[in-house]
Amino acid sequence: MSERASEPSARSESASEPSAQREKLETVDGRSVLTMERRLRHAPEKVWRAVTEPERLADWFPAAMTPDLRVGGVVEFEFGADGTVTDLDPPRLFAYTWDDQHLRWELHPDGAGTRLVLVVTFTDRPGAASFASGWHVCIAALDLALDGRPGTDPGVDHVALHEQFVAQFGLDAGSAETTTDGWRVRYERQLTRPADEVWAVLSAQAPPGALRHGDVLEHDAEPGGRLRWELTEGTGHGARMVLTHVGTGGDPQPALAAGGARIAKLLAALS
């Protein structure tokens, strides 16, 4: 994989947070690029060992990992496909592939500490909040490990953090388009709850006459059209939901707003 975080022509989709902690989601060449910036209290040389040495990676990285530290070297992971080292410049830059993702770790001197920049390139944009919240927790665990406290719980509310990133990156927005037969509204959301819990709520909220077949629930919509809820395997621990509303006439914008309200009602019932 040849994606590079520093390449130009990126389209930003969110604003940055304050200087000590920043996140942004961009689209570059049709792929999603998540950039996360954190300040660590330790020098780049110490952080470098923590992001490259297997025994130190075990304190915070989400999978056992053994890298061959040379460009083109194999990176062995506990799960998922093995990766390849794409960039290496100790103690400043370490980048490699993992499945269909490209991870780039940049370590910049910042006083007595380090400005860490993580850039993750991937295809699954609806999963971006899950990736961001997961890496946030991992970097918090890295910081604790550098402080000599490996294994300490960072104390993060995963659900609240996930939903914060959903809003920050605009992942709660749906789309509306006209078709040859009318219009179609579509939402795709990564959820934080497993499919069985989501199905229980959807079934309870569905109107009389709703039909479920496999991973799909369909029913008529108010004030018109047809709704289709689909749950599939998602990123992290929750299901992936796709809500589609099709209609034959009129403006789809009211249906778009109604779809957002339906999802908000579902999330409220799941919380």
Side-chain angles (χ1 to χ4, degrees):
M1 190 176 298
S2 60
E3 292 81 9
R4 297 293 183 270
S6 57
E7 291 177 352
S9 73
R11 178 172 60 83
S12 177
E13 296 170 353
S14 75
S16 296
E17 295 296 315
S19 58
Q21 176 174 314
R22 300 180 183 178
E23 307 89 13
K24 66 179 179 179
L25 182 65
E26 302 172 303
T27 298
V28 179
D29 298 331
R31 286 169 61 81
S32 294
V33 180
L34 170 67
T35 303
M36 306 184 72
E37 182 176 330
R38 300 291 187 270
R39 190 187 188 281
L40 305 177
R41 291 183 293 272
H42 300 272
E45 292 77 11
K46 184 174 183 179
V47 181
W48 178 260
R49 294 192 294 272
V51 301
T52 59
E53 297 179 3
E55 62 273 19
R56 290 178 169 82
L57 284 160
D59 291 332
W60 65 273
F61 199 78
M65 170 183 167
T66 304
D68 178 3
L69 292 178
R70 60 183 179 85
V71 174
V74 174
V75 184
E76 297 180 356
F77 294 101
E78 178 183 10
F79 54 83
D82 287 347
T84 302
V85 176
T86 61
D87 300 87
L88 188 68
D89 183 12
R92 188 188 70 85
L93 172 63
F94 181 36
Y96 50 88
T97 60
W98 186 10
D99 284 337
D100 68 342
Q101 299 188 20
H102 183 261
L103 285 78
R104 178 183 176 97
W105 301 87
E106 300 176 7
L107 308 181
H108 303 274
D110 186 7
T114 300
R115 180 170 60 88
L116 180 149
V117 179
L118 168 63
V119 184
V120 187
T121 303
F122 53 95
T123 56
D124 182 18
R125 185 178 181 276
S130 182
F131 299 144
S133 56
W135 286 118
H136 174 95
V137 173
C138 287
I139 295 172
L142 165 63
D143 198 23
L144 289 168
L146 290 167
D147 282 344
R149 295 180 287 163
T152 303
D153 184 356
V156 176
D157 184 335
H158 293 257
V159 174
L161 183 63
H162 181 275
E163 294 309 302
Q164 172 189 317
F165 284 130
V166 167
Q168 180 176 333
F169 298 150
L171 301 174
D172 49 355
S175 62
E177 63 178 355
T178 57
T179 66
T180 55
D181 299 325
W183 48 260
R184 183 180 74 154
V185 165
R186 184 180 186 275
Y187 284 86
E188 182 171 354
R189 285 285 298 271
Q190 175 61 44
L191 304 177
T192 59
R193 302 297 186 186
D196 57 347
E197 294 184 20
V198 182
W199 277 128
V201 174
L202 284 176
S203 299
Q205 293 182 348
L211 298 174
R212 179 180 170 185
H213 42 95
D215 295 327
V216 174
L217 175 71
E218 293 185 287
H219 58 83
D220 290 335
E222 291 292 340
R226 186 80 172 167
L227 284 179
R228 184 180 193 271
W229 302 83
E230 181 178 8
L231 297 183
T232 60
E233 183 178 356
T235 302
H237 302 292
R240 178 66 57 86
M241 181 197 70
V242 177
L243 171 61
T244 306
H245 186 178
V246 295
T248 57
D251 183 358
Q253 292 306 312
L256 184 65
R262 289 186 177 96
I263 293 173
K265 180 180 178 182
L266 169 65
L267 296 178
L270 288 168
S271 63

